[in-house]
């Protein structure tokens, strides 16, 4: 076990908090992305053993997926994500986990799942902010671009909320309508910028990569 991994007690406490949260849609807004992902994923894994079905993990992009495979805060989560990365579908007990990204081209398999068999979804967003349409290549046709521009910026999540009975979204500094925020007391709240006076950082630096 990595010395930076969550203890079993803390991981249990986090999962139990989610189990005890009865609302259908949950937002985890704190800064510790890799800690939150371990907790959210282990909750989904637990739920899959109690209610068999299809479970969706939607990650912003392949870059973030690579980070989650390496930096999640427990070994079983890291190993599971490494196994799920290819072919983006993995059977676990009586359930099946599916992986896609914030891009229509990766939604083909999950869109075809029988809606009554989808039991849960975990959505993970990086700290960067951009319109939904920017997750697509610049050479898309004009008709598609116009359609993408008309979609809400959180369509990567709101589209799942319409069909999935239990969802968790991990996203720092975001707001989602109709979603309950859950905060863990064992995660220390920190200011958005922990910088000394006179220190500047480039606007494209991702603070999540500096975490923990």
């Amino acid at each position: 076990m990595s010395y930076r991994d969550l203890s079993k007690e803390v991981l249990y406490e986090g999962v139990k908090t989610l189990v005890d949260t009865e609302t259908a849609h949950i937002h985890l807004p704190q800064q510790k992305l890799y800690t939150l992902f371990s907790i959210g994923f282990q909750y989904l894994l637990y739920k899959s053993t109690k209610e068999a079905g299809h479970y969706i993990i939607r990650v912003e992009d392949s870059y973030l997926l690579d980070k989650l495979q390496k930096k999640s805060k427990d070994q079983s989560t890291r190993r599971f994500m490494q196994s799920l990365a290819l072919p983006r579908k993995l059977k676990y007990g009586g359930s099946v986990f599916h992986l896609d990204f914030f891009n229509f081209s990766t939604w083909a398999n999950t869109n075809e799942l029988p809606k009554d068999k989808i039991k849960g979804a975990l959505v993970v967003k990086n700290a960067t902010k951009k319109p939904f349409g920017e997750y697509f290549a610049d050479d898309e046709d004009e008709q598609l671009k116009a359609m993408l521009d008309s979609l809400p910026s959180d369509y990567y999540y709101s589209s799942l909320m319409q069909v999935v009975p239990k969802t968790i979204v991990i996203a720092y500094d975001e707001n989602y309508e109709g979603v309950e925020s859950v905060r863990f007391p064992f995660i220390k709240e920190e200011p958005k910028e922990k910088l000394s006076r006179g220190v500047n950082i480039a606007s494209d630096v991702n603070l999540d990569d500096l975490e923990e």
Side-chain angles (χ1 to χ4, degrees), residues 31-65:
Q31 290 174 302
K32 301 296 185 181
L33 187 153
Y34 306 116
T35 293
L36 294 175
F37 182 74
S38 275
I39 295 170
F41 175 76
Q42 289 297 324
Y43 164 79
L44 215 64
L45 209 61
Y46 169 80
K47 182 175 172 61
S48 75
T49 65
K50 303 299 181 182
E51 190 175 8
H54 294 285
Y55 290 82
I56 298 170
I57 298 178
R58 180 166 290 174
V59 178
E60 183 167 349
D61 51 34
S62 57
Y63 173 80
L64 180 55
L65 173 63

Side-chain angles (χ1 to χ4, degrees), residues 92-106:
Y92 180 78
S95 296
V96 181
F97 281 74
H98 305 265
L99 171 70
D100 62 23
F101 302 105
F102 291 12
N103 189 304
F104 288 147
S105 65
T106 68

Side-chain angles (χ1 to χ4, degrees), residues 27 56-61 64 100-104 106-107 110-111 121-136 148 151-164 167-177:
H27 177 204
I56 298 170
I57 298 178
R58 180 166 290 174
V59 178
E60 183 167 349
D61 51 34
L64 180 55
D100 62 23
F101 302 105
F102 291 12
N103 189 304
F104 288 147
T106 68
W107 296 8
T110 48
N111 282 342
L122 176 60
V123 178
V124 193
K125 186 182 184 306
N126 223 326
T128 54
K129 288 182 178 290
K130 57 184 178 180
F132 181 69
E134 289 191 14
Y135 292 108
F136 299 81
L148 293 174
L151 294 173
S153 59
D154 65 351
Y155 191 71
Y156 57 84
Y157 178 48
S158 59
S159 58
L160 285 175
M161 290 174 62
Q162 299 170 17
V163 296
V164 183
T167 70
I168 297 174
V169 59
I170 299 172
Y172 176 65
D173 199 26
E174 296 284 349
N175 293 298
Y176 301 97
E177 186 175 350

